[in-house]
Amino acid sequence: MPWVAALPVDAIDADDVARWDHAGKSYAIYRTSDDAIYASDGLCTHEQAHLADGLLDGYLIACPKHNGRFDIRDGSPRRLPACVALRTYAVRVDAGVVHVNLPD
Amino acid sequence: MGRVRRNYALTGPEREQAIADGLASASWYQTPIDRKTLKQLMARRNGPALRDTAIWFALLLATGYGGVHFWGSWLAVPFFMAYGVLYGTSCDSRWHESLHGTPFKTNWLNDALYQLASFMQLWNPVVWRWSHMRHHSDTAIVGRDREIGTMRPPAMVMKALVTGGTTLWLSYMRVLISHARGHFSPDERDFVPADQLPAATQAARVHLAIHACVFAACLWSGSILPAMLISLPRLYGIWLLMLLALPQHAGLAEDVLDHRLNSRTMLLPLPLRFIYWNMNYHLEHHMFPMVPYHALPALHACIRHDCPEPKGLIETWWELFPVLRRQLHDPDHWIDQQLPSGAGPARIGPRLLH
Ligand code: FES
């Protein structure tokens, strides 16, 4: 599984989420208020809205379209209409840049 | 204009056509707003909704108490008129906002208000949750959105306007009874996931059991007073909601991917905005549904340069009522919303016939 450089940590505000597009796919990269970084697929599993337009509250990302929510730590759905888990990815920060562990 | 009778069924031919035309779960026009501002607008707080809900409950208690106290004399009338509006009209916006999960930061407060307001609405909390999600995905897309209030020709709406709440109350009760028996229409089965239907049946049974207790209390006391407080306010207090909510989309375009063309914002005085929890900023709500009701005036200020000029309640109805009347015999007529100069280009769907 390759580690791919995504976004500089500074490009994501604390307690916020940013969109990262790579190889034709969209991802969401989260930075919590205590500077922990997480990554997931960028599109909601309900109707494909971009989660980077949503609202991060603690470890919950709220989808901008219907307020379906997911836990960014494991992608589990936490509020209807989100029913299907979001795929999450391991991340690490090297030299101020978020790297995402993507499948081959 | 085209001359096409629309088929609004969610299981009819227009459904397939909407999907084929890319109108289902499509990408909609949004006025650009910088992320920091939008985050501030979307921010959750408990304070405003706790305050407004406390005032709402206090007003319900006070007017309800007055109605009971003066029951049997004409003095009860103004109290029940106020109580009816606070119950039968205001419950709609409380239902709506809590469904979106935006008024309170604490989620169980949203859920609790949602259950209470659904009961007051005489609406099934499960069915309407999914119905409203669809309404937001596919606003006024024929064959997809079952919440198009003024399907053309708008005969049903004109009847509801003439008969006050009676037609609506009877239809809400009929639907609840059918849900309690486990019957769901093909349209409902289209948007409610199958695994949610047992919960919908259960919810309808609980609601009907409460109404049955109210009915029994009426029989026992020999008075309709218990029903005046719980089951009937949606009948005699919904009239103001019809005036406030019908303009949300009525008379405007169908099958467009731009809320500026199919949703309407009205400017209302503060008491009406309290009763309606700012849902008069309807265009704004549809464009950014994560913004709580209390931040909608600020959102309105942010995007109004990009939107049609809003009107007041009387001006809106002055424009709308003749359009609804004309649609009775000319269902292909609608209002073309005018965007201000410099506004972002309208996103018109491929099915709009002009
Ligand atoms: S698209 Fe995300 S909750 Fe519906």
Side-chain angles (χ1 to χ4, degrees), chain A residues 44-49 51 63-70 81-82:
Chain A
C44 178
T45 58
H46 177 231
E47 281 185 10
Q48 312 285 296
L51 293 170
C63 172
K65 200 164 181 181
H66 306 115
N67 204 359
R69 294 181 197 158
F70 302 89

Side-chain angles (χ1 to χ4, degrees), chain A residues 13-17 46-47 52-55 57 62-67 69 79-81 83, chain B residues 25-26 35-36 39 42-44 98-102 105 107 129-130 133 136-137 196 289-290:
Chain A
D13 284 345
D15 209 13
D16 205 359
V17 49
H46 177 231
E47 281 185 10
D53 294 332
L55 190 65
D57 182 9
C63 172
K65 200 164 181 181
H66 306 115
N67 204 359
R69 294 181 197 158
R79 183 178 187 271
L80 290 174
C83 303
Chain B
S25 302
R35 175 79 187 154
K36 273 198 167 43
K39 258 186 75 180
M42 292 193 293
R44 300 283 178 270
S98 55
L99 181 154
H100 281 283
T102 50
K105 183 174 171 64
N107 210 35
R129 179 184 292 283
W130 292 96
M133 297 297 144
H136 270 266
S137 300
Q196 301 279 316
M290 286 282 284

